[in-house]
Amino acid sequence: MNSEEYIASGILEMYALGALNQHERQEVERMAASSAEIQAALQEACEAIDNYARLHAVPPRPELKASIMQHIAAVSPLAGGYADEADNVRPLYPAAEKKALPYRWMFAASVVLFLLSGFLSYHFYQKWQQAEGKLSTALASQQTLAQNYQTASYQLNQQEQLLRMLRDEDYRPVKLKGVEAHPNANVMVYWSPQQQKVYVDAVQLPALPAGKQYQLWALYDGKPIDAGMLQANGQPGMQQMKQIEAAQAFAITLEPVGGSINPTLDQMFVMGEIKS
């Protein structure tokens, strides 16, 4: 039996309650001396018993002292002068009390069992709460690890996709540079004329105002073609846009959420031409 099983067996609580025989008590003390974990659990059980006893202690009735003193005065030889030795010998328990003695022991045993059951219930309830707290912490850690794994897996997939496009000669990288009003803005676009696929990556644009969204445009023969809306949540990573068959340049403008039919030219942020 390992330390955890020994602690969970309840024998430490029985030791604290004084319910073990001499041999069992020596065995508990031997186990506690050989294990710091058992020693700490034994001390905790003894402290819990003491706290429980102090919490549920019942003071004796005030009239009990007067009753005892009256009984002593009644049986004392000094109360009525000297008496014969035979008169002063009184049985420890009258006949009626002797008959009731077994019932008193049964009552005392029931009280002890009641206190024991109450303490064990309280003690194991505390243990259950501690175990529940540890389980909640473990579940939270597991959830965090799962989220971190999903994030890492997503980023790895993005890098693998970018690497495939860089190695694919069908894709043309187009760097969209910030216009005069937004010199720090820039975006990378990857476009495959053969597959008509467009991807946006490395987005560096100002934070979106309320009710606005960035929209990508393909420019061909001076006409703008809607290439789709950039993700409004600003999630990093590569985003696939609408299919574009022909293009000479790409640009991004700031539009109302959901996009516009035609670009708002005075709200253009980046633009880049496709090299032949």
Side-chain angles (χ1 to χ4, degrees):
M1 182 184 298
N2 56 34
S3 297
E4 293 183 358
E5 293 174 345
Y6 191 80
I7 293 172
S9 66
I11 193 169
L12 301 182
E13 288 77 12
M14 299 296 290
Y15 178 96
L17 287 167
L20 302 180
N21 58 37
Q22 183 64 23
H23 175 72
E24 292 171 332
R25 291 181 64 85
Q26 291 177 350
E27 177 64 19
V28 171
E29 292 168 357
R30 185 187 67 79
M31 293 293 292
S34 62
S35 171
E37 185 178 1
I38 295 177
Q39 177 67 36
L42 178 59
Q43 183 176 357
E44 180 184 354
C46 291
E47 291 176 354
I49 285 287
D50 291 340
N51 294 334
Y52 186 87
R54 284 193 293 268
L55 181 63
H56 296 83
V58 179
R61 293 177 292 113
E63 58 270 18
L64 181 60
K65 179 179 179 181
S67 177
I68 293 175
M69 297 304 295
Q70 290 177 1
H71 182 72
I72 293 174
V75 300
S76 174
L78 299 179
Y82 294 98
D84 293 337
E85 184 177 355
D87 295 335
N88 292 329
V89 177
R90 296 175 180 270
L92 183 61
Y93 296 102
E97 292 183 357
K98 289 183 178 180
K99 295 181 179 179
L101 186 58
Y103 298 99
R104 291 181 179 179
W105 280 107
M106 293 174 61
F107 176 75
S110 65
V111 171
V112 171
L113 289 176
F114 173 75
L115 293 176
L116 176 61
S117 63
F119 165 75
L120 292 177
S121 299
Y122 173 77
H123 180 71
F124 286 113
Y125 174 74
Q126 285 187 322
K127 293 290 186 182
W128 174 76
Q129 283 190 321
Q130 294 174 0
E132 188 177 43
K134 292 180 180 179
L135 177 61
S136 299
T137 302
L139 290 176
S141 299
Q142 183 180 9
Q143 185 176 6
T144 301
L145 289 175
Q147 292 175 348
N148 292 339
Y149 172 79
Q150 291 178 352
T151 301
S153 178
Y154 173 78
Q155 293 175 347
L156 179 60
N157 291 336
Q158 292 287 311
Q159 294 299 322
E160 291 177 348
Q161 187 177 8
L162 176 60
L163 184 60
R164 285 195 299 268
M165 287 192 299
L166 292 175
R167 291 177 176 176
D168 192 340
E169 296 181 354
D170 290 343
Y171 279 92
R172 299 183 183 181
V174 184
K175 186 172 183 179
L176 310 187
K177 298 181 179 180
V179 298
E180 184 177 357
H182 306 282
N184 296 326
N186 62 82
V187 177
M188 284 299 300
V189 172
Y190 298 91
W191 173 53
S192 171
Q194 290 77 11
Q195 303 177 39
Q196 301 180 11
K197 292 183 178 180
V198 179
Y199 290 89
V200 172
D201 187 34
V203 176
Q204 295 185 18
L205 294 170
L208 285 169
K212 297 291 184 178
Q213 191 174 0
Y214 289 114
Q215 187 170 358
L216 178 67
W217 304 91
L219 307 177
Y220 185 74
D221 287 342
K223 296 181 179 180
I225 304 170
D226 176 25
M229 309 300 297
L230 273 67
Q231 293 175 350
N233 57 10
Q235 181 179 356
M238 191 169 296
Q239 178 184 350
Q240 185 173 3
M241 310 302 290
K242 292 182 178 180
Q243 290 187 336
I244 297 297
E245 182 178 355
Q248 296 169 329
F250 287 97
I252 291 179
T253 60
L254 185 65
E255 306 293 342
V257 174
S260 302
I261 298 177
N262 297 307
T264 305
L265 298 179
D266 61 349
Q267 291 296 317
M268 182 180 295
F269 278 70
V270 292
M271 182 176 178
E273 294 183 357
I274 302 173
K275 297 180 181 180
S276 302

